[in-house]
Amino acid sequence: MLYLLKLAIFKTLMQIRTILLQSTAGLLSLFLAAPGGADTLPHYDSPELEVGLMPRAPQQVAAFYEARGFSKPMIERLKQQCFITVWVHNKSQNIIWLDLARWKFSNLTGNVTRRDRHYWKAVWHNMQIPLAYQSTFRWTLLPETLDFQPEEREGGNIVLPRSDHPMQIHASFPTKADKSGIPITVIFNNIECAKDP
Amino acid sequence: MKQHHLLGIMLFSLIFTSHSLAAESITLPKGILKLSPYPAPRTTLDDLDGETYTLKQDKGAWVFVHFWASWCGPCREEMPAIQNMMSTLQAEGLKIAMINTAEDEDTVFSFLSAYAPDIRPLMDRDGQVTEKWRPRGLPATYLVDPNGQVRYQALGGRAWDTLPYITFLRGLMK
């Protein structure tokens, strides 16, 4: 009952705020939505699999997480990273595995170590970040492993140490439910961390 | 006493079998995964009014368990379809548990007022209940049978208010 009353009062105010919210929402969904017509973005497409990458500038990263209520120390930490939003679409009628342990990142200086969930868990724990923010952050990351079902799409971020050197991303996707099929290999060259304008 | 006990077991088996058979014979719409049944994780959460909900209280009915967050684009797109579906099927016996993952009350309230005002959210304030369900991503939907077993999972957002999905959900409840 209290909820309904609150809702009725709030609805009037919301008519104004909705316009604002929708425009913000558009911006926020951009952070995790698949790119539309972005031909210049790194992109792989075959009859079985589609993979897209979109490096995110520190300002974009900050804007997204600030809107989620992340604290300044968290934002500062995140702005120092190289964020790349990844989309995967299994276009086949078979299972294709995402297994980030089989992805290799390298640049002129050697291998680049991805900052995975364990890394962030330790960072947030040391910074005494509330569980709610830790949880939200985890949900914005690309899953470590996922058995992509036929026609399934998922996306999320991978986080790497920021560097000026262009990277190569060597991504291997095992196939079949037991991963025994021939893997699909996708190589992206010259991937750069996005910079603020 | 023994006879009552036996009758109880027989009745339970009959109900269980009939739900299982109904679920077996249903045509799956696009993006619905049939799972090997497993017990639904314990789920106890407060709604925005502070009233406590437990999944257990819906035992005996099919439950549509949905996880979402306002920042997730597909969640936003899917929400009106869920509200439409809900307005039809809730009256027919489908139970709905809409679980917000790790957001605060103001965010949830503002979001639902704009996108789906009839939905009553359950607040997973620290995101730990969501973790127990281990969704593939957000949004995530599970269908829990009247015996508390997770039977189906939806891949991403679905057009729940369209005929294939309404027919599917109705089929479960038969």
Side-chain angles (χ1 to χ4, degrees):
Chain A
M1 201 61 189
L2 183 67
Y3 174 73
L4 291 177
L5 186 69
K6 230 173 129 186
L7 192 65
I9 299 164
F10 198 76
K11 257 183 178 175
T12 320
L13 294 170
M14 282 312 296
Q15 285 174 347
I16 304 163
R17 200 171 159 190
T18 298
I19 301 163
L20 263 175
L21 183 70
Q22 279 169 346
S23 54
T24 318
L27 186 75
L28 296 180
S29 64
L30 198 70
F31 193 74
L32 287 175
D39 296 336
T40 52
L41 291 170
H43 188 245
Y44 168 87
D45 202 359
S46 75
E48 299 87 32
L49 183 69
E50 187 180 4
V51 185
L53 307 181
M54 185 182 268
R56 302 294 185 175
Q59 277 178 12
Q60 277 183 301
V61 172
F64 177 79
Y65 289 110
E66 271 166 14
R68 310 272 64 79
F70 281 31
S71 63
K72 259 198 173 161
M74 284 182 93
I75 300 290
E76 286 311 312
R77 189 74 189 232
L78 294 172
K79 278 170 73 177
Q80 293 162 18
Q81 317 300 320
C82 178
F83 269 75
I84 301 174
T85 304
V86 181
W87 302 271
V88 180
H89 176 199
N90 177 5
K91 294 162 72 180
S92 77
Q93 291 306 308
N94 301 305
I95 287 174
I96 295 178
W97 283 86
L98 166 71
D99 184 354
L100 285 181
R102 298 182 190 217
W103 289 35
K104 304 285 173 229
F105 304 85
S106 58
N107 62 22
L108 279 176
T109 63
N111 287 336
V112 177
T113 306
R114 183 174 54 88
R115 293 181 164 165
D116 63 9
R117 283 154 198 263
H118 297 297
Y119 172 90
W120 287 109
K121 192 175 180 181
V123 168
W124 301 142
H125 179 76
N126 288 340
M127 290 171 70
Q128 297 183 311
I129 300 300
L131 287 176
Y133 297 115
Q134 294 189 36
S135 174
T136 296
F137 181 74
R138 271 198 305 277
W139 285 112
T140 63
L141 297 177
L142 191 66
E144 287 293 318
T145 60
L146 191 67
D147 55 336
F148 273 77
Q149 301 296 312
E151 297 180 39
E152 186 174 12
R153 298 164 192 264
E154 279 295 341
N157 295 314
I158 49 177
V159 190
L160 301 154
R162 179 161 277 279
S163 157
D164 288 333
H165 299 291
M167 265 182 299
Q168 185 190 70
I169 300 178
H170 184 284
S172 178
F173 293 85
T175 59
K176 290 195 178 174
D178 60 358
K179 299 187 180 178
S180 66
I182 298 166
I184 300 169
T185 301
V186 179
I187 298 172
F188 292 106
N189 288 310
N190 293 317
I191 304 299
E192 293 185 49
C193 300
K195 295 183 177 93
D196 286 334
Chain B
M1 189 68 178
K2 227 177 182 179
Q3 272 178 332
H4 281 155
H5 188 62
L6 198 64
L7 201 66
I9 291 172
M10 281 168 68
L11 198 64
F12 177 80
S13 309
L14 194 68
I15 293 167
F16 184 79
T17 314
S18 64
H19 286 313
S20 304
L21 285 177
E24 297 302 330
S25 60
I26 279 168
T27 312
L28 293 182
K30 204 174 170 187
I32 302 292
L33 268 188
K34 190 176 176 188
L35 306 171
S36 301
Y38 61 89
R42 268 191 188 189
T43 303
T44 301
L45 293 165
D46 288 349
D47 66 13
L48 278 180
D49 283 343
E51 285 176 28
T52 302
Y53 165 87
T54 60
L55 186 62
K56 240 181 171 179
Q57 76 194 40
D58 282 338
K59 222 167 182 184
W62 278 89
V63 191
F64 180 98
V65 180
H66 183 80
F67 296 89
W68 64 279
S70 69
W71 53 263
C72 132
C75 302
R76 203 163 35 245
E77 284 168 26
E78 187 186 24
M79 203 56 89
I82 294 177
Q83 182 171 274
N84 291 340
M85 175 276 287
M86 221 174 89
S87 64
T88 309
L89 295 186
Q90 226 171 4
E92 296 177 26
L94 183 68
K95 302 289 181 185
I96 316 265
M98 298 291 294
I99 300 172
N100 173 267
T101 299
E103 292 186 291
D104 62 31
E105 296 187 358
D106 287 345
T107 307
V108 170
F109 192 73
S110 307
F111 173 82
L112 285 181
S113 303
Y115 287 90
D118 296 340
I119 282 171
R120 298 195 68 175
L122 300 169
M123 304 295 293
D124 182 14
R125 289 186 172 82
D126 58 10
Q128 299 308 294
V129 169
T130 309
E131 296 287 340
K132 281 199 289 185
W133 282 76
R134 303 175 66 88
R136 304 171 72 80
L138 294 179
T141 304
Y142 296 89
L143 293 162
V144 179
D145 77 12
N147 301 301
Q149 300 283 308
V150 183
R151 300 293 293 268
Y152 299 97
Q153 182 179 13
L155 301 176
R158 296 284 133 199
W160 292 105
D161 55 350
T162 60
L163 195 60
Y165 295 95
I166 296 277
T167 309
F168 165 67
L169 293 169
R170 276 203 176 114
L172 294 179
M173 293 188 289
K174 269 183 192 164

